[in-house]
Amino acid sequence: MAWGPGTLFQEREKSITSEGDDVLNRGTDDRDTEIRFQGLTIGGSYQFTPSAQLLFDYQFRRYDAPRLDSNSTTNSLLDGVDNRFGVRFIYQLGF
């Protein structure tokens, strides 16, 4: 995660394969049952006062099982995974 003045950019990567995707082999270590995860999060922040800050981000997510039939139960469930939007408000009390 990298912070800049008023902005946030985060790219989520776990175990990277040669294609640049995250891969989950469903307990079989077999490429025919792998699930690929791709995600990118972008966001920003606004500081109202030195102690109050609003953070927001949007995560683009794509999941698929490329070697399974497109009508398989796994791909049907993965098609239901949507992108995410998040908002956080941070207020720091000064003591």
Side-chain angles (χ1 to χ4, degrees):
M1 183 182 326
W3 286 87
T7 61
L8 165 69
F9 177 80
Q10 176 182 11
E11 185 173 349
R12 297 184 184 242
E13 297 180 319
K14 295 181 186 124
S15 57
I16 304 300
T17 64
S18 59
E19 293 89 22
D21 299 332
D22 295 335
V23 174
L24 170 66
N25 291 319
R26 298 180 301 165
T28 61
D29 293 329
D30 184 5
R31 288 183 55 93
D32 292 336
T33 58
E34 75 182 10
I35 297 174
R36 290 190 183 170
F37 303 84
Q38 294 179 328
L40 174 69
T41 303
I42 57 173
S45 65
Y46 182 77
Q47 192 165 7
F48 297 101
T49 66
S51 59
Q53 185 176 16
L54 181 68
L55 298 129
F56 50 91
D57 54 59
Y58 190 81
Q59 183 181 27
F60 300 93
R61 302 188 303 174
R62 188 172 78 183
Y63 297 78
D64 68 331
R67 291 178 177 80
L68 295 177
D69 183 31
S70 61
N71 295 328
S72 70
T73 303
T74 303
N75 274 322
S76 296
L77 292 170
L78 293 174
D79 287 342
V81 176
D82 293 328
N83 297 335
R84 287 196 291 192
F85 178 73
V87 176
R88 292 177 297 258
F89 181 75
I90 300 171
Y91 186 78
Q92 297 176 359
L93 298 173
F95 291 102

